[in-house]
Amino acid sequence: MTFMKTRKQTVNSEKVFSRSLALIPGGVNSPVRAFGSVGGTPFLVDRGEGAWLWDIDGNRYLDYVMSWGPLILGHAHPEVVKTIRDAAGRGCSYGVPTREELALTELVIERMPHIEKLRLVSSGTEACMTAARIARGATGREIIIKFDGGYHGHSDLFLVRAGSGLATSGLRASAGVPEDITRITVSIPYNDFKAVDDCFLRYGSAIAGVIVEPIAANMGVVPPANGFLEHLFKKTSHNGSILIFDEVITGFRVAPGGAAEHYGLKPDLVCLGKILGGGMPIGAVGGRKELMDCLAPMGNIYQAGTLSGNPLSTAGGISTLKELARPGVYEYIKRYAEDLTGRLSGLFEKYDIKVQINRVESLFTLFFSEYKINNFEDAKKSDMARYANFFHALLDEGVYIPPSGFEAWFVSTAHTSEHMQLTVKAVENFLKKAE
Ligand SMILES: *Cc1c(COP(=O)(O)O)cnc(C)c1O
């Protein structure tokens, strides 16, 4: 793979990262951060503000990763920081219920009325793992259907043909996951109605639930085909199976009520995370009362967490959701994404380079491909070597996009027209050199 050596001075990053490599596996605490698929050494961050990140060498980057989704208000939003600071001054964890857990839950349910009860956990991984356990426990069935390229965290049961880092590293399933567990997770192509029908024919009464990213965002952004989510809704309800929307990315992003609101659907269970904590570690699973009441201490499905409902996480979530209630927020980030992707489409066309830009509201991915991207197979056929070149060209210009072609770009309320100009210019410079 060839890519231009970064022109920025990154000696401090190189030095610290090489020391990290000796003590931290791959030098990172989550795989995609290692720049494996784009090459080069990751920069180490010193601080963030608004749409910007500063590395430890003093370089500044316009950020389109935004901590992989949570920072919809930008880095270090003053109100969010203040709320978290105040909370920290009163103690970092209690292990006793707080008013803030209820306050955050109320803010969620206002936006997502299909959620009747909510349990807070500490990550999206836990949320999805718990949702699957509820589906299995409540139905007494074993099989969970997922979709190729869908990512639902790193618990054993979902690491089969998964998106995000597993896609980036080209792994089919993770080592260390027992064969027996992968057998009861059935992964089928996204947006494939027939595969869904075949699956229900074959496994019917053994299907506990179907988990789906209602707008796939971990194989790059891939919107659901017309009627696909409705089809899942029909199939699961006829079959007595649980429909789980994994809205860890889409929740509070594509609409206040997430993809469920955007498409007007009522899943049985919803998984949340990312924006829900405003940058603090969090996750949540919510849904119909009779399902949620199967959880301990009400029911016999066990789930717990020392730091669940943590006061710093609820502070991050409450302040973020309150800020998001300001009028025009969703229109603003959508318009930014619409304008930016429109201008990028125009530029790539002008330079005669075939790209596909998939976008739903403010969520989008640019694929180097001449074919439409409707599922994971399509996404894998896009030109990732070219994406790597693109990534480094932009990084050189001070624009940080996801270090993998299988990820979504994230914009925030802190992204302005000035930032858009800079992005467009960086892309144009890439295209000029690519000629
Ligand atoms: C990020 C993500 C998860 C996992 O959340 P973590 O907080 O990283 O454990 C699950 N589902 C989706 C759709 C995600 O994007």
Side-chain angles (χ1 to χ4, degrees), residues 123-125 128 151-153 213 218 246 248-249 274:
S123 66
T125 294
C128 297
Y151 181 66
H152 310 290
E213 290 180 71
N218 282 291
D246 179 352
V248 171
I249 281 182
K274 298 197 168 115

Side-chain angles (χ1 to χ4, degrees), residues 68-313:
W68 306 89
L71 303 180
I72 193 167
L73 301 172
H75 292 279
H77 186 281
E79 194 52 41
V80 177
V81 171
K82 181 182 176 302
T83 312
I84 293 171
R85 241 183 215 140
D86 288 351
R90 285 178 278 127
C92 289
S93 180
Y94 314 118
V96 169
T98 63
R99 286 175 294 199
E100 287 73 19
E101 290 167 83
L102 175 61
L104 181 58
T105 300
E106 285 171 341
L107 289 170
V108 171
I109 291 177
E110 264 171 31
R111 289 158 178 75
M112 302 179 170
H114 49 289
I115 294 180
E116 294 172 336
K117 284 196 177 183
L118 187 81
R119 171 69 53 92
L120 295 176
V121 295
S122 297
S123 66
T125 294
E126 280 182 74
C128 297
M129 185 181 82
T130 304
R133 189 175 299 149
I134 295 172
R136 286 178 167 146
T139 59
R141 303 172 180 180
E142 277 198 337
I143 289 181
I144 300 283
I145 311 287
K146 72 174 281 291
F147 296 94
D148 300 348
Y151 181 66
H152 310 290
H154 63 92
S155 74
D156 282 0
L157 67 159
F158 294 127
L159 288 181
V160 183
R161 292 208 286 269
S164 191
L166 209 67
T168 304
S169 57
L171 297 172
R172 189 193 166 274
S174 168
V177 174
E179 195 63 39
D180 279 353
I181 289 184
T182 62
R183 240 187 343 92
I184 52 172
T185 305
V186 177
S187 191
I188 59 177
Y190 179 68
N191 279 336
D192 187 335
F193 291 72
K194 183 165 181 307
V196 172
D197 293 347
D198 290 350
C199 216
F200 274 86
L201 268 178
R202 176 147 181 217
Y203 300 106
S205 60
I207 300 174
V210 174
I211 187 165
V212 63
E213 290 180 71
I215 299 159
N218 282 291
M219 52 178 110
V221 172
V222 183
N226 244 337
F228 185 66
L229 297 174
E230 290 79 358
H231 191 63
L232 295 182
F233 184 83
K234 228 181 306 165
K235 279 284 171 191
T236 47
S237 54
H238 284 174
N239 195 57
S241 309
I242 307 300
L243 179 61
I244 306 165
F245 273 11
D246 179 352
E247 299 229 38
V248 171
I249 281 182
T250 52
F252 318 110
R253 162 73 55 185
V254 297
E261 176 184 334
H262 185 74
Y263 295 108
L265 289 168
K266 286 192 170 116
D268 299 301
L269 292 175
V270 179
C271 306
L272 298 170
K274 298 197 168 115
I275 292 175
L276 179 66
M280 299 300 292
I282 205 165
V285 55
R288 281 174 24 218
K289 203 175 355 201
E290 60 280 17
L291 291 173
M292 295 305 295
D293 281 343
C294 294
L295 284 176
M298 298 278 291
N300 58 3
I301 300 174
Y302 196 70
Q303 187 282 323
T306 302
L307 297 177
S308 292
N310 177 268
L312 305 194
S313 300

